[in-house]
Amino acid sequence: MKIPKRLQPLVEDGLIDDVLSQLMSGKEATVYTVQCGTEVRCAKVYKEANKRSFKQASKYQEGRKVRNSRRARAMEKGSKYGRKQQEDTWHNAEVDALFRLAKAGVRVPEPYGCFDGVLLMELVTTEDGAVAPRLNDVAMSEEQAIEDHAIVMVYVMRMLCAGIVHGDLSEFNVLVDDYGPVIIDLPQAVDAAGNNNAQSMLERDIRNMTLYYAQFAPELKNTKYAQEIWALYEDGELHPDHPLTGEFEESGESADVDSVLLEIKAAFEEEQDRKERIRIAEETD
């Protein structure tokens, strides 16, 4: 096929030998299969900011750290240089997340680097060499659904242990090869400790995955992995190999609103009495 303009520099630099086909086009990028020496890989070409349809990007970028203070100031001001740096940070976030998650024991495509808004990474395939399908294109038995759902929950847990929440996890962002689920699409990965939306995004990620697998295994709807994982995380007890149960007991202790209001009222009256005593003492003097 004709080499896309954004991939031409990588061909000229010898990073890509040939562009074979367009694999898919999504809200944030277009993915191509490319020949790199003897290997077929993926080239993910990120769309420019004004052409991306990914909503509320700032919500996902909250908490991301930029080490270079000049870059950070430029990004805050929104200058041309700052916008360029913000785009680079957006692109590199996926590369960083892929390396961190692979190290944490999460199955993700192997990254080879990001070059001018193009991410080169492993092409996930089945054993017969076909491109691995996305989860939304896969039907499975009840037993397989329960098994794969448990694997994905472990991956979500390990992501959180690595300080990351996927933020956009669904059946469209998971591939399935002969060995099971592979997590993809991480440019919006959320910093778990620095983003106020981390918990709600984790809950949504788990809800999306659970509802999909529950089509084949309805009992999964009753699991409470999100509450279990986040509670362990908040208590500092989460680790990559923590055995998950999918069960969680809500605290039976509810706030006694009447008692709290009485305490507030008593404190207010005590303060008023103190002020009155001071006033009387001043008048007496």
Side-chain angles (χ1 to χ4, degrees):
M1 65 173 289
K2 182 180 178 182
I3 297 174
K5 183 179 178 181
R6 294 280 300 281
L7 292 179
Q8 188 64 46
L10 279 73
V11 173
E12 293 171 358
D13 290 343
L15 294 166
I16 293 174
D17 294 318
D18 195 13
V19 180
L20 305 178
S21 65
Q22 180 177 311
L23 190 57
M24 58 84 68
S25 182
K27 57 193 174 186
E28 65 201 28
T30 301
V31 181
Y32 299 89
T33 56
V34 296
Q35 191 74 42
C36 300
T38 59
E39 295 184 4
V40 177
R41 296 177 178 175
C42 273
K44 183 173 185 177
V45 181
Y46 292 101
K47 294 180 179 178
E48 296 174 6
N50 60 352
K51 296 179 181 177
R52 284 199 304 262
S53 59
F54 196 86
K55 298 177 181 178
Q56 298 178 308
S58 59
K59 183 178 177 182
Y60 290 82
Q61 292 171 337
E62 178 186 328
R64 288 186 182 174
K65 298 178 179 64
V66 178
R67 294 180 182 177
N68 185 298
S69 58
R70 178 178 172 238
R71 290 180 183 176
R73 289 194 299 271
M75 287 165 66
E76 288 175 4
K77 291 178 180 178
S79 65
K80 184 177 179 180
Y81 173 76
R83 290 194 297 272
K84 171 67 167 56
Q85 294 304 313
Q86 195 160 17
E87 281 299 287
D88 289 345
T89 300
W90 177 263
H91 302 157
N92 291 328
E94 183 160 23
V95 183
D96 294 341
L98 288 171
F99 278 117
R100 286 169 65 183
L101 294 186
K103 187 176 179 180
V106 179
R107 287 197 70 210
V108 294
E110 181 182 354
Y112 300 112
C114 194
F115 311 91
D116 295 324
V118 179
L119 170 61
L120 277 180
M121 60 182 170
E122 172 192 5
L123 176 66
V124 180
T125 62
T126 58
E127 286 197 344
D128 61 5
V131 176
R134 290 193 296 185
L135 180 59
N136 69 299
D137 293 323
V138 176
M140 64 193 77
S141 66
E142 179 179 358
E143 182 182 8
Q144 190 67 60
I146 293 171
E147 180 181 330
D148 284 6
H149 178 264
I151 291 172
V152 172
M153 293 303 102
V154 170
Y155 288 166
V156 170
M157 175 183 70
R158 289 179 177 174
M159 281 192 268
L160 188 57
C161 287
I164 291 174
V165 174
H166 188 289
D168 193 34
L169 192 59
S170 73
E171 63 270 25
F172 300 101
N173 291 329
V174 177
L175 301 178
V176 183
D177 66 8
D178 297 278
Y179 301 96
V182 180
I183 307 297
I184 62 170
D185 290 340
L186 288 144
Q188 74 297 315
V190 168
D191 181 287
N195 193 304
N196 291 320
N197 305 293
Q199 182 179 0
S200 62
M201 289 182 181
L202 178 101
E203 291 172 349
R204 186 180 62 195
D205 284 351
I206 291 179
R207 182 168 60 250
N208 287 343
M209 299 311 302
T210 298
L211 288 176
Y212 184 80
Y213 284 112
Q215 295 178 89
F216 311 101
E219 64 267 34
L220 290 174
K221 288 183 180 179
N222 299 321
T223 57
K224 297 182 178 180
Y225 284 99
Q227 297 95 318
E228 178 186 13
I229 291 172
W230 192 261
L232 289 167
Y233 175 69
E234 283 194 320
D235 293 340
E237 297 177 3
L238 195 66
H239 60 80
D241 296 313
H242 195 290
L244 296 175
T245 65
E247 298 176 357
F248 181 76
E249 251 186 67
E250 301 285 351
S251 174
E253 298 179 6
S254 56
D256 188 341
V257 178
D258 289 338
S259 296
V260 173
L261 290 175
L262 285 173
E263 288 181 15
I264 293 172
K265 183 179 179 182
F268 177 79
E269 290 175 348
E270 184 178 341
E271 177 65 12
Q272 292 301 107
D273 289 342
R274 186 184 70 82
K275 289 180 178 180
E276 181 65 9
R277 288 195 298 272
I278 292 173
R279 185 186 66 78
I280 292 173
E282 289 175 344
E283 288 180 354
T284 302
D285 291 339

